[in-house]
Amino acid sequence: EDAENTALIIGAGHAAGECATAIREQGWAGRIVMVGEEPHLPYQRPPLSKAFLSGESTVEQLYLKPQATYDKARVEFIPNTRAQCIDRAAKRVTLSNGSEIGYTKLVLATGGRARRLALPDIEAIEKLQNFHYLRTLDHVSRIRSQFHAGSRLVIIGGGYIGLEVAAVAVKRGLQVTVLEALPRVLARVTAPELSAFYEKVHREAGVDIRTNAIVSGFELDASGDAVAAVRCADGTRVAADLVIVGVGLEPATELAQQAGLAVDNGIVVDEHTRTSDPDIFAVGDCTNHPNPSLGRRLRLESVPNALEQARTAAASLCGKERVYNTVPWFWSDQYDLKLKMVGLSQGYDEFVLRGSPETRSFSAFYLKDGVMLAADTVSRAPEFMLAKRFVAEKIPVRAADLADESIPLKSLLPQSN
Ligand code: FAD
């Protein structure tokens, strides 16, 4: 590549931080510039609701890579700056500081922002000092300053983030209530059996989990600066010293949309992570991408996806077309429990448990037509590794064999020699 060429990355999250150095490793000789709206070097978000929230890890430990790594790869990083608009004809991007950067290849790694509660007058509530969303390091720094033993915390949303926060908070001595609108927690991602297990674990730890709890509004304290209680549609009122909302993610697609790129629940990309403009790529949470092995399009919110797409884009934009094709996987840490999930369970016709939830170590398998679609493993890392192979290679397996713990899982794989 010509030294005059510029690879410009918009966003400085997990996908961007990986992509920037990978582009250099793939042999790009020109400039590499990464522009991020946040003030921080690319950092890992998973600890925000786990070890960083609990105070067990520092800001430095969140960083994906130290500054020195970007220096060595000659990656120029522009923090605190938003990309405002893309001029595809001129191949230039306008930044919030008024400057413009030309590009040869552009990567959109804009991730997403916390989905806002859909309530009238939510703007006014969002300004209150004890009302929080949880997506960024700065959100969690604010939350941590209000995390006091004895405080009444109300978490809106019983998804991964809400439950991880509940686990940390109850351990810290807060009085925790989780309000979930659906009939069970983790409803979008797992089977009823797993939801019941996690509800029981949280209740035993002292968390007040309320399902079918639809938030309808907030009461302010006398000063008018803080939420005093959360109100539900059935008339219940839950007193609160702080409120944390975890109700999903809104992909950041506005730049792509304004530039006229195809957008449909995420920026539409092909198997090389290329958008509808051949010089523009998109990676991470903001993409709607094809998954060849699942035979469908997906928008995923996970670190393994962000990393793999970042590497795919880096190779493809350096002219070494690479195909993204991995089975989705995800993890969640709550208390001592390590949940790891692989595949997508939608459409399963058999559900099998291996081991007993009572022991806090078990696996659940989802089969369709005798093939494993997905697995949720709780504190069973070796079974997770094997399940990844069953799912990725679509290996036929019998439910009865999976349920029988006297049969090693490994022996159910085709024997290689
Ligand atoms: P992001 O990390 O969102 O980064 C995008 C960046 O782009 C942001 O910094 C944003 O400010 C910036 N940006 C957006 N628009 C512009 C613009 N126009 N100009 C400049 N900058 C812009 N995943 C797991 O796999 N396991 C977990 O256990 C897990 N736990 C999580 C816990 C929490 C609390 C959160 C919030 C997420 C968790 N995730 C987890 C999800 C994971 O963090 C995301 O999948 C990952 O961060 C996606 O990376 P990304 O680079 O695509 O997006």
Side-chain angles (χ1 to χ4, degrees), residues 9-17 35-38 43-50 81-84 95 109-113 134-136 140 160-161 164-165 249 252 254-255 283-286 300-306 329-333:
I9 303 168
I10 300 179
H14 220 121
V35 180
E37 196 174 8
E38 293 187 61
Y43 60 87
Q44 310 169 66
R45 294 184 202 278
L48 295 180
S49 49
K50 308 176 183 82
T81 305
R82 187 176 163 73
Q84 305 277 39
L95 305 183
T110 48
R113 43 190 84 82
L134 201 172
R135 178 74 187 170
T136 68
V140 181
Y160 293 118
I161 291 181
E164 289 178 355
V165 170
L249 179 102
E254 62 282 348
L255 267 183
V283 295
D285 285 12
C286 66
L300 295 173
E301 297 160 13
S302 83
V303 164
N305 172 64
W329 67 273
F330 195 82
W331 76 91
S332 175
D333 300 338

Side-chain angles (χ1 to χ4, degrees), residues 153 155 161-171 176 178 202 207 335:
L153 165 63
I155 298 169
I161 291 181
L163 295 184
E164 289 178 355
V165 170
V168 170
V170 80
K171 240 174 118 180
V176 186
V178 174
H202 279 278
V207 176
Y335 309 102

